[in-house]
Amino acid sequence: HVVLISTGVGVGPCIGAIEEGLKDATFPSIQLCASFRKQEDVVCEDHLTELAEKNPDKFTWNAIITAECGKISANEEHIKAAMFSRFGDFTIDDVHYH
């Protein structure tokens, strides 16, 4: 399972990677957590929703609105709340990120 995390317009490069991954039947499933300050800042929502609807077993995404819940990176609890509850039982020690 591949998890991508983006902020703001940084979602653009993630979309390109997602589109390429969805072309390859052997590529693992993809989850995008896209963080935006406000709901009106969410970009490419229609396109991401369409990709998710066309590839329900391979791609899911959600928009995290930081004005409502705080920055994901603020602390470990925010990371867990935003991410881990969606993916089953693993801890922050199981994650590799850049």
Side-chain angles (χ1 to χ4, degrees):
H1 190 77
V2 174
V3 177
L4 301 172
I5 302 171
S6 69
T7 59
V9 296
V11 73
C14 291
I15 291 172
I18 291 162
E19 291 170 340
E20 289 302 308
L22 292 175
K23 292 176 186 177
D24 181 350
T26 65
F27 200 82
S29 61
I30 305 166
Q31 166 72 33
L32 171 65
C33 294
S35 174
F36 301 93
R37 186 170 305 215
K38 298 177 283 187
Q39 182 64 43
E40 56 267 22
D41 295 336
V42 177
V43 295
C44 303
E45 183 173 11
D46 292 341
H47 182 62
L48 290 165
T49 299
E50 180 180 348
L51 287 174
E53 289 171 353
K54 288 181 177 179
N55 302 279
D57 296 330
K58 294 287 285 181
F59 175 62
T60 57
W61 85 284
N62 64 301
I64 298 166
I65 308 303
T66 59
E68 297 171 9
C69 65
K71 289 184 178 181
I72 296 171
S73 61
N75 59 50
E76 186 173 333
E77 291 308 311
H78 281 196
I79 294 170
K80 288 178 180 178
M83 305 287 300
F84 298 154
S85 62
R86 293 176 173 84
F87 307 117
D89 294 328
F90 62 92
T91 69
I92 197 158
D93 295 328
D94 298 316
V95 177
H96 176 78
Y97 61 93
H98 298 274

